[in-house]
Amino acid sequence: ARARGRGELLEPIDMPDTLPLVLVLSPVSCATARVYAEWRTEDARPRDVEGLAAALVSGDRDGVGRRLGNDLLDACLRVCPEIGPAVEAVKSLSWPWSLTGSGGALFALAPDPRAAEVAAKRLQKDGWNARVANAGLGAAQVPRSGVR
Protein backbone atom coordinates (compact mmCIF):
# COMPACT_ATOMS: atom_id res chain seq x y z
CA ALA A 1 0.00 0.00 0.00
CA ARG A 2 1.05 3.57 -0.53
CA ALA A 3 0.77 5.64 2.65
CA ARG A 4 0.10 9.35 2.44
CA GLY A 5 -0.28 12.08 5.00
CA ARG A 6 1.24 10.83 8.23
CA GLY A 7 0.59 7.26 7.18
CA GLU A 8 -3.13 7.35 7.90
CA LEU A 9 -4.19 7.46 4.23
CA LEU A 10 -3.58 4.09 2.59
CA GLU A 11 -3.96 3.34 -1.10
CA PRO A 12 -3.58 -0.25 -2.32
CA ILE A 13 -0.88 -0.97 -4.90
CA ASP A 14 -1.62 -3.85 -7.25
CA MET A 15 1.75 -5.53 -7.63
CA PRO A 16 2.89 -8.88 -8.97
CA ASP A 17 3.97 -11.71 -6.73
CA THR A 18 7.63 -11.39 -7.74
CA LEU A 19 9.59 -9.61 -5.00
CA PRO A 20 11.13 -12.07 -2.52
CA LEU A 21 12.67 -10.64 0.62
CA VAL A 22 14.92 -11.77 3.42
CA LEU A 23 13.78 -10.35 6.77
CA VAL A 24 16.26 -10.08 9.62
CA LEU A 25 14.74 -9.54 13.02
CA SER A 26 17.26 -7.89 15.31
CA PRO A 27 17.24 -9.02 18.93
CA VAL A 28 16.86 -5.32 19.77
CA SER A 29 13.72 -3.28 19.21
CA CYS A 30 13.93 0.50 19.11
CA ALA A 31 11.29 2.62 20.82
CA THR A 32 9.45 4.49 18.08
CA ALA A 33 8.99 7.66 20.12
CA ARG A 34 12.72 7.80 20.93
CA VAL A 35 13.70 7.25 17.29
CA TYR A 36 11.38 10.01 16.06
CA ALA A 37 12.61 12.34 18.81
CA GLU A 38 16.21 11.68 17.65
CA TRP A 39 15.42 12.29 13.97
CA ARG A 40 17.22 15.30 12.47
CA THR A 41 16.46 17.26 9.33
CA GLU A 42 19.79 16.17 7.84
CA ASP A 43 18.60 12.52 8.11
CA ALA A 44 16.07 13.21 5.33
CA ARG A 45 16.95 12.19 1.79
CA PRO A 46 15.01 12.84 -1.40
CA ARG A 47 12.73 9.92 -2.26
CA ASP A 48 11.14 9.02 -5.58
CA VAL A 49 7.87 7.68 -4.16
CA GLU A 50 6.04 7.71 -7.50
CA GLY A 51 8.96 5.86 -9.13
CA LEU A 52 8.94 3.31 -6.30
CA ALA A 53 5.20 2.74 -6.71
CA ALA A 54 5.61 2.29 -10.48
CA ALA A 55 8.50 -0.16 -9.97
CA LEU A 56 6.44 -2.16 -7.47
CA VAL A 57 3.47 -2.36 -9.85
CA SER A 58 5.65 -3.50 -12.74
CA GLY A 59 7.72 -5.93 -10.65
CA ASP A 60 10.92 -4.04 -11.51
CA ARG A 61 13.25 -5.35 -8.78
CA ASP A 62 16.13 -3.07 -9.80
CA GLY A 63 13.83 -0.04 -9.85
CA VAL A 64 12.53 -0.90 -6.39
CA GLY A 65 16.06 -1.46 -5.12
CA ARG A 66 17.30 1.92 -6.38
CA ARG A 67 14.50 3.66 -4.50
CA LEU A 68 14.61 1.85 -1.14
CA GLY A 69 15.45 3.81 1.95
CA ASN A 70 14.28 4.81 5.38
CA ASP A 71 15.02 8.27 6.75
CA LEU A 72 14.80 6.88 10.28
CA LEU A 73 17.89 4.65 9.87
CA ASP A 74 20.44 7.14 11.22
CA ALA A 75 18.21 8.13 14.14
CA CYS A 76 17.57 4.46 14.89
CA LEU A 77 21.32 3.73 14.97
CA ARG A 78 21.89 6.68 17.31
CA VAL A 79 19.16 5.48 19.69
CA CYS A 80 19.89 1.74 19.37
CA PRO A 81 23.46 1.24 18.20
CA GLU A 82 22.98 -2.44 19.12
CA ILE A 83 21.19 -2.98 15.80
CA GLY A 84 24.40 -2.10 13.95
CA PRO A 85 25.47 -5.76 13.64
CA ALA A 86 22.07 -6.64 12.11
CA VAL A 87 22.54 -3.81 9.59
CA GLU A 88 25.96 -5.21 8.69
CA ALA A 89 24.52 -8.73 8.34
CA VAL A 90 21.88 -7.49 5.88
CA LYS A 91 24.41 -5.37 4.00
CA SER A 92 26.61 -8.47 3.62
CA LEU A 93 24.03 -9.88 1.21
CA SER A 94 24.97 -7.12 -1.28
CA TRP A 95 21.33 -6.66 -2.21
CA PRO A 96 19.15 -3.55 -1.88
CA TRP A 97 18.05 -3.31 1.74
CA SER A 98 16.27 -1.10 4.23
CA LEU A 99 15.20 -0.72 7.83
CA THR A 100 11.54 -1.45 8.53
CA GLY A 101 9.59 1.22 10.38
CA SER A 102 11.52 2.79 13.24
CA GLY A 103 13.82 -0.11 13.78
CA GLY A 104 14.61 -3.52 14.94
CA ALA A 105 13.89 -5.37 11.72
CA LEU A 106 15.54 -5.04 8.32
CA PHE A 107 14.95 -6.54 4.92
CA ALA A 108 16.89 -7.21 1.76
CA LEU A 109 15.37 -7.55 -1.70
CA ALA A 110 16.47 -10.93 -3.05
CA PRO A 111 17.01 -11.58 -6.78
CA ASP A 112 14.78 -14.69 -6.66
CA PRO A 113 13.06 -16.99 -4.13
CA ARG A 114 15.86 -19.58 -4.15
CA ALA A 115 18.51 -16.94 -3.41
CA ALA A 116 16.32 -15.66 -0.56
CA GLU A 117 16.16 -19.16 0.96
CA VAL A 118 19.92 -19.65 0.69
CA ALA A 119 20.62 -16.23 2.21
CA ALA A 120 18.15 -16.74 5.08
CA LYS A 121 19.73 -20.10 5.92
CA ARG A 122 23.21 -18.56 5.87
CA LEU A 123 22.12 -15.77 8.18
CA GLN A 124 20.44 -18.30 10.48
CA LYS A 125 23.70 -20.28 10.65
CA ASP A 126 25.34 -17.03 11.74
CA GLY A 127 22.80 -16.73 14.57
CA TRP A 128 20.32 -14.29 13.05
CA ASN A 129 16.55 -14.66 13.16
CA ALA A 130 16.11 -14.53 9.38
CA ARG A 131 13.01 -15.36 7.37
CA VAL A 132 11.97 -15.42 3.75
CA ALA A 133 8.96 -13.29 2.84
CA ASN A 134 7.31 -11.96 -0.28
CA ALA A 135 6.49 -8.31 -0.98
CA GLY A 136 4.03 -9.24 -3.74
CA LEU A 137 0.38 -10.18 -3.67
CA GLY A 138 1.09 -13.09 -1.32
CA ALA A 139 2.61 -10.81 1.31
CA ALA A 140 -0.29 -11.40 3.70
CA GLN A 141 0.84 -15.02 3.94
CA VAL A 142 4.47 -14.64 5.00
CA PRO A 143 6.23 -17.99 4.69
CA ARG A 144 8.41 -18.69 7.70
CA SER A 145 11.83 -20.09 7.13
CA GLY A 146 13.70 -21.62 10.04
CA VAL A 147 12.38 -19.41 12.83
CA ARG A 148 14.60 -19.79 15.92
Side-chain angles (χ1 to χ4, degrees):
R2 180 183 319 184
R4 296 185 189 269
R6 294 185 178 186
E8 77 280 10
L9 305 172
L10 298 176
E11 174 187 328
I13 294 177
D14 186 21
M15 54 187 280
D17 195 17
T18 58
L19 296 171
L21 306 172
V22 174
L23 297 174
V24 175
L25 305 171
S26 170
V28 177
S29 177
C30 298
T32 300
R34 287 187 59 213
V35 172
Y36 273 91
E38 180 61 30
W39 184 84
R40 301 173 187 158
T41 307
E42 60 268 19
D43 292 337
R45 291 167 185 83
R47 301 281 179 221
D48 179 8
V49 176
E50 294 306 317
L52 176 60
L56 286 168
V57 168
S58 68
D60 175 8
R61 177 192 177 275
D62 293 334
V64 171
R66 284 191 305 275
R67 293 170 176 91
L68 284 180
N70 184 332
D71 288 346
L72 293 175
L73 176 63
D74 293 336
C76 179
L77 287 168
R78 288 190 297 270
V79 170
C80 298
E82 305 88 354
I83 73 158
V87 169
E88 294 307 313
V90 172
K91 281 181 170 181
S92 76
L93 298 173
S94 298
W95 298 335
W97 68 277
S98 187
L99 177 75
T100 64
S102 59
L106 302 115
F107 69 92
L109 186 57
D112 59 67
R114 177 73 184 126
E117 279 292 332
V118 169
K121 286 180 180 171
R122 188 193 96 205
L123 290 168
Q124 290 163 6
K125 275 184 85 170
D126 291 342
W128 295 104
N129 186 351
R131 304 173 183 191
V132 174
N134 178 14
L137 295 174
Q141 300 173 0
V142 176
R144 298 199 174 174
S145 170
V147 177
R148 294 188 304 136

